[in-house]
Amino acid sequence: MKLIFLGPPGAGKGTLAVRVKELLKTPHISTGVIFRDAIAAKSPLGLKVKAVIDAGKLVDDETTIALVKERLSQADAQAGYILDGFPRTIAQAEALETFSVVDKVVNFDISNDGAIERLSGRRVCRKCGFNFHTIFNKPKKEGVCDFCGGEVYVREDDKPSAVTKRLEVYRVQTEPLIDFYCKKGLLVDIDASPLVDEILVGFKKALRI
Ligand code: ADP
Ligand code: ZN
């Protein structure tokens, strides 16, 4: 199944994707993870996008579209995928239609306050990228990843000033995609406010799997 996870930052797209990829045995393709890996590796892509991402703004469409197009051409993405964090603009959604046919778009429904609560407590493993939370999902040992022993840190763009910017960018640039995909009959809404186990139940029900 070819799925898009759509929703504001902090909606839990990445957290649910980790569960769904095991269930459906499809790759989880997160543009945010690809960009963060590139930044950590100090690759040309990483150097190009670091300042934009740290400020909570969007990477330009041309760069992002080329990256996703290349990733979706790989063998493991032919039978299905979870696209997390792409598309984020109408231009990206239109470009995607030229190189892949999506089955469903899962819209994560959460309030602004709910998203802020998630983002402000989010902690990420520098090595494996696992998402923890200071209240909802603490690592067993503070600052250390349960799974790989990596350092657990606060993303630069999870700091308050960037969070406000990202939510605003979402409302202006990404939210119009809800209507875009609704009109195409592809949209499925799920309640993203509960904990991940419950979101997964709602997800399975919504997709009848
Ligand atoms: P979240 O969903 O928590 O906001 P992501 O990890 O998906 O975070 O993305 C982090 C950042 O990476 C975004 O704020 C943006 O700067 C950049 N980014 C990710 N995906 C895209 C995209 N499709 N288009 C433009 N920029 C993107
Ligand atoms: Zn880890």
Side-chain angles (χ1 to χ4, degrees):
M1 202 171 345
K2 296 179 176 172
L3 298 174
I4 290 173
F5 280 10
L6 181 66
K13 303 183 295 292
T15 304
L16 186 72
V18 170
R19 306 285 291 271
V20 171
K21 84 170 182 191
E22 278 161 23
L23 190 76
L24 299 179
K25 311 263 179 277
T26 54
H28 167 209
I29 301 172
S30 159
T31 41
V33 169
I34 297 172
F35 288 139
R36 279 190 292 284
D37 286 350
I39 291 171
K42 298 196 166 64
S43 71
L45 173 68
L47 296 173
K48 179 164 141 190
V49 301
K50 184 178 189 316
V52 174
I53 290 185
D54 284 353
K57 296 183 203 152
L58 291 187
V59 174
D60 67 279
D61 284 336
E62 200 189 336
T63 304
T64 311
I65 290 164
L67 182 95
V68 173
K69 187 173 180 186
E70 197 284 319
R71 181 62 187 87
L72 292 190
S73 74
Q74 291 174 19
D76 67 334
Q78 299 318 304
Y81 52 71
I82 304 160
L83 258 186
D84 164 14
F86 182 94
R88 259 177 157 91
T89 63
I90 296 281
Q92 292 179 10
E94 286 173 347
L96 177 63
E97 290 183 326
T98 68
F99 54 83
S100 196
V101 178
V102 169
D103 295 307
K104 289 278 176 225
V105 178
V106 182
N107 180 37
F108 287 59
D109 197 10
I110 190 162
S111 68
N112 220 43
D113 287 350
I116 290 173
E117 190 184 23
R118 295 241 176 100
L119 292 171
S120 57
R122 177 156 71 184
R123 299 290 182 273
V124 184
C125 172
R126 220 181 262 288
K127 223 159 124 193
C128 74
F130 190 85
N131 282 348
F132 295 94
H133 190 282
T134 50
I135 301 164
F136 308 127
N137 187 15
K138 281 195 258 192
K140 291 194 185 82
K141 186 165 175 249
E142 204 189 315
V144 182
C145 176
D146 293 357
F147 306 102
C148 76
E151 181 206 353
V152 171
Y153 77 115
V154 181
R155 270 168 52 177
E156 198 53 45
D157 61 345
D158 279 345
K159 295 181 178 163
S161 60
V163 163
T164 313
K165 180 71 194 163
R166 281 159 66 208
L167 287 166
E168 184 193 313
V169 165
Y170 173 77
R171 298 287 168 221
V172 176
Q173 305 210 59
T174 310
E175 213 168 44
L177 293 178
I178 295 178
D179 201 41
F180 179 90
Y181 285 120
C182 190
K183 283 187 180 136
K184 291 179 187 288
L186 295 177
L187 202 75
V188 187
D189 288 303
I190 61 167
D191 178 8
S193 57
L195 292 173
V196 64
D197 286 342
E198 215 179 315
I199 302 177
L200 185 63
V201 173
F203 168 84
K204 287 194 207 164
K205 236 188 233 161
L207 288 177
R208 303 200 174 93
I209 52 175

